[in-house]
Amino acid sequence: MLSCALVLVFGAASASAAPEPGSDSAGDPYFPQDGNGGYRVAHYDLALRVDPESKQVDGTMTITAVATKDLSSFNLDFADLGPVRTQVNGKPAAAAHAEETELVVTPDRPLPSGKPFTATVAYSFNEQEQADALGRPELPGWVRTTSGGVAKFGEPGGAEYWFPSNNTPGNKASFKLTLTVPEGWIGLGGGKETPAVTKDGWTTSVWDEPNPVAMYLVPLAVDHFDVRRYALPAGQPVVVALNPDQPDYVRAAADRYPEVMAFLQEKLGPYPHSGAGGIFIDPGPGNQNFGGALETQTRPTYVSNWKDVDGEISVIVHENAHEWYGDSVSVRQWRDICLNECFASYLQWMWEEAKEGQDLDQKYRDRVRERWDDEDYWGHLLTDMCDGKEECDAGDVMNGQGVYDKGQLALHALRRLIGDKAFGEILRGWPVRHSFGNASWTEFEQYVQQATRKDLGAFFHAWFHSGDRPADEYLFPGSLAQ
């Protein structure tokens, strides 16, 4: 049985300060238990064996990181799925779970600030047994398919039920996945693919993502896939996989993936990643974890619940727009989610404009008219949406009427205010400026004002920071004027 191991490498101890435990939080006020402090991960190397029939999961994870303070211990985001075996620098280390998804690792000697380190955490668990223990049909972060397969899902959480990590978008890292599945099944990951090898009844493939990726965006799926392989014009390998139960309209939409990517590169600039494609699955009965799609890096994952080709294509546009807005450039904190969802949603409008002849000004006016007196709708903030609330969950941050809907209106109003030329330059320029990094909404506002040489503070406040319907001067700028 393959074991799963997590490795961290350390240098000599520092005498400048007494070592302290690393924080159990990355400091995001909306999701304080996500991520950890005291170190930064540079690379993940995960060997994982998944048996979708028995629901058994085993593997080996190696993490390479650097301590940012003198550490007596550090935390990893990893659920309590059973016993773990941990080494630090090749030597046994203590490990204990604290709360539901915190694993505290204590090496045999302190970790000095500024020094690289490695560690090993071995784990095995049965997904069905763990889900039963929680009283759920599936573990969080898992989606089972109608054909017996599984896929990884979850935002902002979910990764902690697959592998240990520093699960915060503020610490992205390169990721290599060596995935072993039973012969006859197909395992998929992100980045560049090494051809699969079958031996002794098991098939192993390697998926290498050299660019930094947030942990909730690491793709993983196992099923009896119909796989289509080709390349983008710039040479990136494309892997499009559909599980056997996909209806014809999903397959027809997937066929138009090259057209979608050509459109997005025209609007957003060259595709930034090492690989491309998509994973299309049909969720099994009882699925509680996800309905929709997730922009898993290089290969978005789709749970098919749209009932026509146009609906599917619109979602493909949305998720692949995230490859620029959300994956290459990730949020600094979750309050900045408009940088992901507002833009991906507006690119769906721009697709309708370019491919279907949609009059976006009229569509905008119709939507504003529908919502004119809807105080709840206008009350959805597009940034800082959980400030002042005692509790915050993913539904508050990624609210359908907020960043997905009102966000489309806000960006169309911005486009009409600054003009198509400036708006197009900003769409392409922003992902380049923050390529494979993190950014905040405040930085975006500053970037737009610098690019246009205009004071847009009142406009941004009216649309993005206020819970009131914007005043007419901000609601109907440019060609939207009535």
Side-chain angles (χ1 to χ4, degrees):
M1 178 177 293
L2 186 66
S3 65
C4 198
L6 172 63
V7 177
L8 299 171
V9 176
F10 309 96
S14 170
S16 60
E20 298 177 340
S23 172
D24 64 354
S25 172
D28 193 307
Y30 292 0
F31 303 104
Q33 288 306 302
D34 290 355
N36 306 285
Y39 66 95
R40 286 189 63 82
V41 176
H43 179 66
Y44 293 90
D45 192 340
L46 173 63
L48 195 67
R49 186 168 75 173
V50 179
D51 186 342
E53 295 179 348
S54 70
K55 308 297 190 294
Q56 185 65 28
V57 180
D58 313 279
T60 301
M61 164 75 90
T62 303
I63 295 179
T64 303
V66 174
T68 58
K69 61 185 292 187
D70 291 339
L71 290 172
S72 58
S73 65
F74 59 92
N75 281 34
L76 296 167
D77 296 301
F78 189 49
D80 186 356
L81 301 173
V84 298
R85 299 187 308 277
T86 307
Q87 291 185 341
V88 170
N89 223 14
K91 297 180 179 180
H97 279 96
E99 304 183 16
E100 185 179 349
T101 58
E102 294 288 328
L103 180 67
V104 182
V105 179
T106 304
D108 68 335
R109 63 183 63 186
L111 312 178
S113 178
K115 299 294 184 178
F117 67 88
T118 57
T120 301
V121 178
Y123 62 93
S124 298
F125 65 92
N126 186 280
E127 189 269 337
Q128 181 68 66
E129 293 174 1
Q130 294 296 326
D132 290 345
L134 293 178
R136 300 174 59 105
E138 302 149 322
L139 276 179
W142 290 66
V143 174
R144 298 185 195 156
T145 73
T146 53
S147 46
V150 295
K152 172 187 172 293
F153 262 108
E155 181 184 8
E160 63 272 21
Y161 287 88
W162 285 92
F163 51 79
S165 71
N166 191 21
N167 188 19
T168 169
N171 185 183
K172 303 195 292 187
S174 54
F175 201 104
K176 180 181 177 182
L177 171 66
T178 302
L179 180 58
T180 300
V181 300
E183 185 176 1
W185 294 81
I186 295 174
L188 300 173
K192 298 178 180 179
E193 173 189 14
T194 298
V197 176
T198 299
K199 182 180 179 181
D200 298 330
W202 293 88
T203 299
T204 299
S205 56
V206 179
W207 305 84
D208 190 4
E209 173 52 279
N211 297 318
V213 56
M215 292 302 96
Y216 77 98
L217 294 175
V218 176
L220 176 65
V222 182
D223 214 316
H224 298 291
F225 286 112
D226 168 19
V227 181
R228 308 167 184 181
R229 291 179 173 87
Y230 48 96
L232 294 178
Q236 295 98 330
V238 175
V239 178
V240 175
L242 301 97
N243 80 326
D245 297 317
Q246 295 300 326
D248 289 343
Y249 66 84
V250 174
R251 296 178 180 276
D255 287 342
R256 294 180 66 183
Y257 175 81
E259 181 185 359
V260 169
M261 293 305 293
F263 164 79
L264 290 174
Q265 290 185 86
E266 175 190 347
K267 299 300 181 185
L268 304 179
Y271 181 70
H273 297 288
S274 63
I279 302 168
F280 295 80
I281 64 172
D282 208 15
N287 167 54
Q288 293 181 351
N289 290 335
F290 213 85
L294 183 64
E295 62 271 20
T296 40
Q297 188 161 308
T298 70
R299 289 179 188 94
T301 309
Y302 307 89
V303 175
S304 300
N305 53 11
W306 294 271
K307 300 304 180 185
D308 57 66
V309 171
D310 290 339
E312 287 288 339
I313 292 175
S314 183
V315 175
I316 293 172
V317 171
H318 180 107
E319 300 307 330
N320 282 282
H322 277 311
E323 298 300 318
W324 288 260
Y325 281 82
D327 291 19
S328 177
V329 184
S330 300
V331 295
R332 198 171 297 283
Q333 292 191 322
W334 286 102
R335 58 166 38 100
D336 305 312
I337 193 64
C338 190
L339 289 173
N340 296 10
E341 302 303 345
C342 294
F343 285 89
S345 298
Y346 189 63
L347 262 295
Q348 292 174 275
W349 272 30
M350 296 185 78
W351 170 269
E352 294 174 5
E353 179 183 45
K355 300 296 183 177
E356 301 169 14
Q358 177 71 248
D359 182 342
L360 294 190
D361 282 359
Q362 189 58 51
K363 182 169 184 171
Y364 174 95
R365 295 190 195 98
D366 291 344
R367 185 71 57 84
V368 168
R369 189 177 302 110
E370 291 171 4
R371 299 295 190 176
W372 188 263
D373 294 319
D374 189 342
E375 294 182 359
D376 289 340
Y377 177 84
W378 298 110
H380 291 296
L381 298 180
L382 300 182
T383 184
D384 302 331
M385 59 283 293
C386 282
D387 286 9
K389 293 184 178 180
E390 292 185 3
E391 296 184 3
C392 180
D393 61 27
D396 294 317
V397 176
M398 289 163 275
N399 185 281
Q401 290 191 341
V403 291
Y404 295 90
D405 194 315
K406 182 182 170 184
Q408 293 173 315
L409 298 182
L411 289 184
H412 191 65
L414 175 63
R415 179 183 173 187
R416 290 302 181 234
L417 178 65
I418 65 176
D420 276 359
K421 183 175 185 296
F423 187 77
E425 290 173 351
I426 287 165
L427 276 184
R428 291 184 292 272
W430 176 257
V432 173
R433 171 169 290 206
H434 297 280
S435 178
F436 294 110
N438 300 79
S440 69
W441 182 259
T442 297
E443 290 173 289
F444 179 76
E445 291 185 3
Q446 294 169 348
Y447 174 72
V448 173
Q449 293 182 99
Q450 291 168 358
T452 60
R453 299 182 180 181
K454 294 180 180 180
D455 181 359
L456 302 175
F459 173 89
F460 282 123
H461 176 79
W463 270 107
F464 296 91
H465 303 277
S466 172
D468 298 324
R469 186 182 68 234
D472 283 1
E473 62 181 302
Y474 308 122
L475 200 60
F476 300 110
S479 60
L480 294 168
Q482 294 186 332

